[in-house]
């Protein structure tokens, strides 16, 4: 029964999310009230808010799922691999599979979602809050303390800049993800090399 309840909760979560994204893309985030999202998903407003505490979460839950990703990569890295090495490898793997979080994705639906995100100030502000949570989780995985916090802030900032550059070339420059991929790999290699040079020695990476 607990498994059935969990599946039902996940189905409701997905139905609310799908309804919200469809409405936001069609009319804009600020033009769609939460009550309309609830009605489209077939749930009440209180039910909706149990799954998504704020309206912004309806659009950004995909990013919320990645909040502790860097921390998980560090915690689960193979023996003998440094935290920075593990994060570098993980980012390259994301580029290879065209993970939208890396910015290297030219699917029309993904591009439309990113236009919605970066064109809505309240969503951008919420995204920065998620990135702050990611920094804190990564800092804990690196051992805590000021050196870990400084390292986590730099790592998260580098990943954000790399993703923004990839998205800029695809969205603004009209390039395909396949065309951008070699430069994206080179940029990631450069960025993580600079991180390694700048953070060592004396940092937990």
């Amino acid at each position: 029964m607990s498994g059935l309840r969990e599946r039902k909760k996940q189905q409701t979560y997905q139905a609310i999310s799908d309804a919200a994204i469809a409405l936001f893309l069609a009319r804009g985030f600020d033009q769609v009230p939460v009550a309309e999202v609830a009605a489209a998903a077939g749930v009440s407003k209180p039910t909706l808010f149990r799954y998504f505490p704020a309206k912004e979460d309806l659009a950004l839950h995909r990013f919320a799922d990645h909040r502790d990703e860097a921390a998980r990569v560090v915690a689960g890295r193979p023996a003998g691999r440094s935290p920075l090495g593990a994060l570098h490898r993980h980012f390259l793997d994301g580029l290879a599979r065209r993970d939208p979080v890396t910015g290297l994705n030219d699917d029309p639906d993904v591009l439309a979602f990113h236009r919605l995100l970066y064109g809505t100030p309240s969503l951008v502000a919420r995204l920065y809050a998620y990135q702050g949570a990611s920094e804190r989780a990564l800092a804990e995985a690196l051992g805590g303390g000021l050196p870990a916090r400084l390292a986590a802030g730099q790592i998260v900032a580098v990943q954000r800049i790399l993703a923004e550059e990839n998205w800029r070339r695809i969205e603004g420059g009209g390039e395909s993800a396949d065309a951008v991929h070699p430069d994206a790999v080179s940029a990631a290699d450069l960025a993580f090399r600079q991180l390694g040079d700048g953070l060592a020695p004396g940092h937990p990476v």
Side-chain angles (χ1 to χ4, degrees), residues 56-156:
E56 288 78 11
D57 295 326
L58 288 163
L60 290 178
H61 73 89
R62 298 171 183 178
F63 289 92
D65 293 341
H66 291 273
R67 272 182 295 192
D68 62 347
E69 184 172 321
R72 292 197 307 269
V73 169
V74 168
R77 70 189 187 278
R81 180 170 292 178
S82 69
L84 195 60
L87 290 166
H88 184 187
R89 181 71 263 166
H90 184 73
F91 194 85
L92 293 178
D93 289 345
L95 293 174
R97 64 178 185 270
R98 305 299 189 262
D99 188 332
V101 171
T102 68
L104 193 70
N105 189 298
D106 54 12
D107 182 276
D109 290 339
V110 172
L111 293 177
F113 176 77
H114 279 132
R115 285 193 293 271
L116 170 72
L117 168 60
Y118 292 114
T120 308
S122 61
L123 293 180
V124 173
R126 190 71 166 185
L127 179 59
Y128 280 122
Y130 286 152
Q131 290 171 342
S134 180
E135 286 182 24
R136 290 189 292 274
L138 178 56
E140 285 298 314
L142 293 173
L146 182 60
R149 288 170 55 202
L150 291 169
Q154 292 175 67
I155 291 166
V156 170

Side-chain angles (χ1 to χ4, degrees), residues 13 39 51 54 130 165:
Y13 181 92
Y51 286 89
Y130 286 152
E165 175 63 12

Side-chain angles (χ1 to χ4, degrees), residues 5-19:
R5 283 195 296 270
E6 285 303 313
R7 286 196 298 273
K8 178 63 175 176
K9 286 173 62 177
Q10 185 57 39
Q11 290 169 356
T12 303
Y13 181 92
Q14 194 63 49
I16 296 171
S17 171
D18 290 347

Side-chain angles (χ1 to χ4, degrees), residues 116-196:
L116 170 72
L117 168 60
Y118 292 114
T120 308
S122 61
L123 293 180
V124 173
R126 190 71 166 185
L127 179 59
Y128 280 122
Y130 286 152
Q131 290 171 342
S134 180
E135 286 182 24
R136 290 189 292 274
L138 178 56
E140 285 298 314
L142 293 173
L146 182 60
R149 288 170 55 202
L150 291 169
Q154 292 175 67
I155 291 166
V156 170
V158 160
Q159 293 178 327
R160 173 181 57 79
I161 291 168
L162 290 171
E164 288 176 352
E165 175 63 12
N166 293 336
W167 180 75
R168 181 193 65 79
R169 288 185 58 178
I170 293 170
E171 172 66 15
E175 299 180 72
S176 69
D178 289 344
V180 175
H181 181 255
D183 288 344
V185 170
S186 296
D189 289 343
L190 171 63
F192 279 92
R193 185 166 62 250
Q194 287 184 345
L195 277 171

